[in-house]
Amino acid sequence: MVEPNFRDLGPLRGFRPAQNGAVALELAGGRAELSVAPDGALRIRCNPGNTLSTDPLPGIGRAPWPCAKMRSRERDGGVSLIFACQDATPQVDIDADPFRVRLLGRRGATRAELFDFASASGSGMRVAVATTASERFYGFGEKHGGLNKRGSVLEMRNTDPELRRRRDPLYVSIPFFLAQDGFHADAQARGVLLESAAPSRFDVAASKDDRVVLETRAEHLDLAIFPGPHPADVLRRFTARVGRNPLPPLWALGHHQSRWSYASEDEVRKVAREIRRRGIPTDVIHLDIDYMHGFRVFTWDPKRFPDPKGLLRDLALDGFRVVTIVDPGVKFDADYGVYNEGRAFGHFCTRDDERLYTLRVWPREAALPDFNCEEVRSWWGEQHRKLLDAGVSGIWNDMNEPAGWSRDVRLGRVIFPYRGQNTQAMQQASLEDPSRKVRHEMVRNVYGYQECRATREFLEEAYPERRHFLLSRAGFTGIQRYAALWTGDNKSRWSDLRESLPMLLNLSVSGVPFCGADIGGFAFSATPELYARWIQIGSLYPFARTHSMWLGRRQEPWRFGKRVEDIARTSLERRMHLLPYFYRVFREAEFTGAPVWRPLAYEFPEDPECAEIQDQVLLGPNLLLAPVLEKGARKRTVYLPPGVWFDWESDARYAGPRHLVVEAPLEKLPIFVRGGSILPTQSPVRHAKEVPKESLRVEVFPGLDAATELVEDDGETTAYRHGVVATTELRMRARAGGRLRVEIGARKGTHRVPERVVPVIIRGAVWPETVMLDASPIACGEGPSTWSYRNGRLCVRYLDDGGAHSIEIEPAP
Ligand code: MIG
């Protein structure tokens, strides 16, 4: 960014309540508005000049901020605003000169301090957030590099980077961070969000170590602070404002197999057949750009895909879903209906002089729909009916930064693009008033977001009973409401495998729980060892897709020899085994905003060791994954945070905090489970629709008391939103008078679960003296109402008829 010339907005001159419940602030050189939501989150908007600009958030589908009641009190050199919130009365102290805003929490502690409000006439705004020397910074969306971003300068401008020099910025802009300071019990986490669809920049205590400086190219500054104290509180408040990830259909949580491209019906059938023949759990096949007729979106190549309906029907019989790619560029072609319609209605982006703007992409010249207009969104959404009618289950939005290039070389079907797109001349509708045009640059970061919004809004309206799956490459704050994200074109390199951990963790704490990187790497070719290590951890990415580029080797799990194929199968079987646990964590993401993948620092904010760990992750609250990320490594060091930990495979028990060297031959992914947890699992299936032999297994890891709620539903409709679920309370009392007691509550709710035998598996158990089921001793055996013991695992089977049950074991493990 060119360094603009910033001028201070000047001191506070006065304030008064505004109509919407916010407080209007008059500054010497500008206007501001401040509000605190009933949950304690603070928002401040400001700009130079005499009027406050219109709130652009409704333009991207966000609800207006609710405002808590406020009273004010003059104080020396400024004013105090006291807000009546749900569980507290946060106070905002404003210093008049120089103008500063402080959010105070309990006992007057400062939660956030904003200063140095400045504008560069017409070309941007700036503000600083005070920090201490010990604060760590996570989030910032999709970024390269390490987990903690302290000391970096990060650009936010949706960009398709050159493959060779993949550096900041990338495809997604989420100008939000989660900051954590201190390691004591009342250590504070907080979140800071810059609402700006224009390019922005974060100087994360890089130039001066007492501040984070936020700059946007917009003329309007919009900043929000989400208080903690726990990171989970921050995420709950942040996602309450920007939206959460709706519970995906179960099938979308299975393995996705992709390639650029499976380019004919025969090829797709062959891949599907191999997947099933080899018993590799997979739910979804992705069709990349070559299924289209000459890269025209919403069409099928008549030669290579003569009967899409027939193909998709056959695949469905085999338990496969199909996701098709949809790029935003509409081929400039007078014989193409979508183009003609879009042109006739004026749906495409233009140049300054109102002429059509075209971008060089796969179909040569392409027009770009202006998704900032509601009519364009509904028109675009409607186009998807053709794909859904053919049996397509999900939509993959690529190239939606938007990305294009200046020129390309075409040799038959092979296209080599030269990068260097320049969209500076493009115009779009403004977010405040769609009848007005603004430079595309000022709204660029929401281009892909608005495309996904168009698609999801159509799908939800046209098929309201279904849950939908959308995948996007570009994104913006709140994209999780509409689509999952994958991290774009990575490479088949060890460094890209390693980097996927901090990248996905930071994306996760930026509000996007459903995210993944291309397993195996997109560009170039994975070696068998790299693929093995990648699928081990990749199969536990929130979004698990194997993908590869046409230039590189095929990366289906069986392309690397028998040994690696077995590793891939085992890894994906483990994912399916854990599916009920995944599902529970995804529910949590919808209802609380907690991420699926979590940095250790998120779950253990009081442990200094966890602050910088980026080669281990927590899957939900209970599973700690410690993948091998180094070529040739057959062991690694693992850090176990405070508490009891079980080795997932051997059940060996450890007391954290401690470091541990674990053996990790090529076949092994080290996983640890928190003592004091109850994991719902199932017996593995080849795809989500297959009925598992055991649809519920309750795996119990003793150590502490634990309680969890198991929620079951049909896995694919929206009935769960209307309460059609079955809920079971699961409880463990680790030491109830020398016994371990597991309580299964009576099932509640209207979703029907057929009668079944449920195994309850106590890990790390000794041979029991007594096992009681519903207060009566039961015998060793194989059927229902018996127990068995093998290798430290005690399995108690009960007949699940929906009633309450209890299990007691003596002695307690
Ligand atoms: O410029 O559709 O990131 O996943 O396979 C390449 C072809 C365009 C980029 C995506 C990649 C996809 C590819 N696309």
PDB file of all heavy atoms in Angstrom, residues 35 144 169 194 234 238 376 396 529 623 774:
ATOM      1  N   SER A  35     -21.357   2.086  20.258  1.00  0.00           N
ATOM      2  CA  SER A  35     -22.427   1.339  20.918  1.00  0.00           C
ATOM      3  C   SER A  35     -21.838   0.112  21.583  1.00  0.00           C
ATOM      4  O   SER A  35     -20.748  -0.350  21.222  1.00  0.00           O
ATOM      5  CB  SER A  35     -23.496   0.926  19.910  1.00  0.00           C
ATOM      6  OG  SER A  35     -22.947   0.065  18.948  1.00  0.00           O
ATOM      7  N   HIS A 144      -0.043 -17.041   5.827  1.00  0.00           N
ATOM      8  CA  HIS A 144       1.185 -17.839   5.901  1.00  0.00           C
ATOM      9  C   HIS A 144       1.825 -17.703   7.263  1.00  0.00           C
ATOM     10  O   HIS A 144       1.477 -16.810   8.031  1.00  0.00           O
ATOM     11  CB  HIS A 144       2.213 -17.298   4.908  1.00  0.00           C
ATOM     12  CG  HIS A 144       1.920 -17.645   3.516  1.00  0.00           C
ATOM     13  ND1 HIS A 144       1.877 -18.934   3.075  1.00  0.00           N
ATOM     14  CD2 HIS A 144       1.631 -16.861   2.461  1.00  0.00           C
ATOM     15  CE1 HIS A 144       1.587 -18.933   1.799  1.00  0.00           C
ATOM     16  NE2 HIS A 144       1.418 -17.704   1.410  1.00  0.00           N
ATOM     17  N   PRO A 169      -0.785 -11.165   0.498  1.00  0.00           N
ATOM     18  CA  PRO A 169      -2.004 -11.789   0.997  1.00  0.00           C
ATOM     19  C   PRO A 169      -2.449 -12.981   0.147  1.00  0.00           C
ATOM     20  O   PRO A 169      -1.995 -13.146  -0.976  1.00  0.00           O
ATOM     21  CB  PRO A 169      -3.017 -10.648   0.864  1.00  0.00           C
ATOM     22  CG  PRO A 169      -2.527  -9.833  -0.293  1.00  0.00           C
ATOM     23  CD  PRO A 169      -1.033  -9.957  -0.292  1.00  0.00           C
ATOM     24  N   LEU A 194     -11.956  -5.469  12.399  1.00  0.00           N
ATOM     25  CA  LEU A 194     -12.069  -4.292  11.540  1.00  0.00           C
ATOM     26  C   LEU A 194     -13.070  -4.660  10.458  1.00  0.00           C
ATOM     27  O   LEU A 194     -12.849  -5.608   9.702  1.00  0.00           O
ATOM     28  CB  LEU A 194     -10.702  -3.982  10.919  1.00  0.00           C
ATOM     29  CG  LEU A 194     -10.682  -2.864   9.877  1.00  0.00           C
ATOM     30  CD1 LEU A 194     -10.937  -1.519  10.529  1.00  0.00           C
ATOM     31  CD2 LEU A 194      -9.348  -2.846   9.145  1.00  0.00           C
ATOM     32  N   VAL A 234     -14.772 -14.916  23.533  1.00  0.00           N
ATOM     33  CA  VAL A 234     -14.511 -14.007  22.416  1.00  0.00           C
ATOM     34  C   VAL A 234     -15.176 -14.546  21.151  1.00  0.00           C
ATOM     35  O   VAL A 234     -15.896 -13.835  20.450  1.00  0.00           O
ATOM     36  CB  VAL A 234     -12.989 -13.848  22.183  1.00  0.00           C
ATOM     37  CG1 VAL A 234     -12.723 -13.003  20.941  1.00  0.00           C
ATOM     38  CG2 VAL A 234     -12.317 -13.248  23.410  1.00  0.00           C
ATOM     39  N   PHE A 238     -18.032 -12.768  18.954  1.00  0.00           N
ATOM     40  CA  PHE A 238     -17.664 -12.412  17.574  1.00  0.00           C
ATOM     41  C   PHE A 238     -18.615 -13.082  16.577  1.00  0.00           C
ATOM     42  O   PHE A 238     -19.185 -12.433  15.697  1.00  0.00           O
ATOM     43  CB  PHE A 238     -16.205 -12.830  17.353  1.00  0.00           C
ATOM     44  CG  PHE A 238     -15.738 -12.833  15.928  1.00  0.00           C
ATOM     45  CD1 PHE A 238     -15.901 -11.710  15.116  1.00  0.00           C
ATOM     46  CD2 PHE A 238     -15.103 -13.950  15.390  1.00  0.00           C
ATOM     47  CE1 PHE A 238     -15.443 -11.717  13.795  1.00  0.00           C
ATOM     48  CE2 PHE A 238     -14.639 -13.967  14.079  1.00  0.00           C
ATOM     49  CZ  PHE A 238     -14.829 -12.849  13.278  1.00  0.00           C
ATOM     50  N   VAL A 376     -29.094  -9.513  -8.845  1.00  0.00           N
ATOM     51  CA  VAL A 376     -28.045 -10.332  -9.440  1.00  0.00           C
ATOM     52  C   VAL A 376     -27.861 -11.604  -8.612  1.00  0.00           C
ATOM     53  O   VAL A 376     -27.727 -12.699  -9.147  1.00  0.00           O
ATOM     54  CB  VAL A 376     -26.716  -9.553  -9.540  1.00  0.00           C
ATOM     55  CG1 VAL A 376     -25.633 -10.417 -10.164  1.00  0.00           C
ATOM     56  CG2 VAL A 376     -26.911  -8.267 -10.321  1.00  0.00           C
ATOM     57  N   TRP A 396     -18.867 -25.755  -5.443  1.00  0.00           N
ATOM     58  CA  TRP A 396     -17.488 -25.364  -5.138  1.00  0.00           C
ATOM     59  C   TRP A 396     -17.182 -24.078  -5.904  1.00  0.00           C
ATOM     60  O   TRP A 396     -17.121 -24.090  -7.119  1.00  0.00           O
ATOM     61  CB  TRP A 396     -16.585 -26.535  -5.544  1.00  0.00           C
ATOM     62  CG  TRP A 396     -15.117 -26.256  -5.650  1.00  0.00           C
ATOM     63  CD1 TRP A 396     -14.403 -25.248  -5.090  1.00  0.00           C
ATOM     64  CD2 TRP A 396     -14.173 -27.067  -6.375  1.00  0.00           C
ATOM     65  NE1 TRP A 396     -13.073 -25.368  -5.417  1.00  0.00           N
ATOM     66  CE2 TRP A 396     -12.903 -26.474  -6.197  1.00  0.00           C
ATOM     67  CE3 TRP A 396     -14.264 -28.238  -7.139  1.00  0.00           C
ATOM     68  CZ2 TRP A 396     -11.740 -27.006  -6.779  1.00  0.00           C
ATOM     69  CZ3 TRP A 396     -13.116 -28.765  -7.717  1.00  0.00           C
ATOM     70  CH2 TRP A 396     -11.867 -28.157  -7.521  1.00  0.00           C
ATOM     71  N   GLU A 529       5.720 -41.166   1.054  1.00  0.00           N
ATOM     72  CA  GLU A 529       5.832 -40.814   2.472  1.00  0.00           C
ATOM     73  C   GLU A 529       5.077 -39.532   2.794  1.00  0.00           C
ATOM     74  O   GLU A 529       4.348 -39.443   3.788  1.00  0.00           O
ATOM     75  CB  GLU A 529       7.304 -40.655   2.871  1.00  0.00           C
ATOM     76  CG  GLU A 529       7.455 -40.379   4.359  1.00  0.00           C
ATOM     77  CD  GLU A 529       8.877 -40.016   4.785  1.00  0.00           C
ATOM     78  OE1 GLU A 529       9.765 -39.941   3.923  1.00  0.00           O
ATOM     79  OE2 GLU A 529       9.081 -39.796   6.002  1.00  0.00           O
ATOM     80  N   LEU A 623      -9.519 -34.213  21.834  1.00  0.00           N
ATOM     81  CA  LEU A 623      -8.523 -34.990  21.094  1.00  0.00           C
ATOM     82  C   LEU A 623      -7.327 -34.127  20.747  1.00  0.00           C
ATOM     83  O   LEU A 623      -7.477 -33.072  20.133  1.00  0.00           O
ATOM     84  CB  LEU A 623      -9.115 -35.527  19.796  1.00  0.00           C
ATOM     85  CG  LEU A 623     -10.039 -36.733  19.876  1.00  0.00           C
ATOM     86  CD1 LEU A 623     -10.418 -37.175  18.470  1.00  0.00           C
ATOM     87  CD2 LEU A 623      -9.380 -37.880  20.623  1.00  0.00           C
ATOM     88  N   ASP A 774     -27.366 -51.194  35.592  1.00  0.00           N
ATOM     89  CA  ASP A 774     -28.630 -50.814  36.223  1.00  0.00           C
ATOM     90  C   ASP A 774     -28.765 -51.457  37.607  1.00  0.00           C
ATOM     91  O   ASP A 774     -29.790 -52.074  37.928  1.00  0.00           O
ATOM     92  CB  ASP A 774     -29.819 -51.207  35.326  1.00  0.00           C
ATOM     93  CG  ASP A 774     -29.729 -50.512  33.973  1.00  0.00           C
ATOM     94  OD1 ASP A 774     -29.136 -49.412  33.928  1.00  0.00           O
ATOM     95  OD2 ASP A 774     -30.201 -51.065  32.971  1.00  0.00           O
TER      96      ASP A 774
END
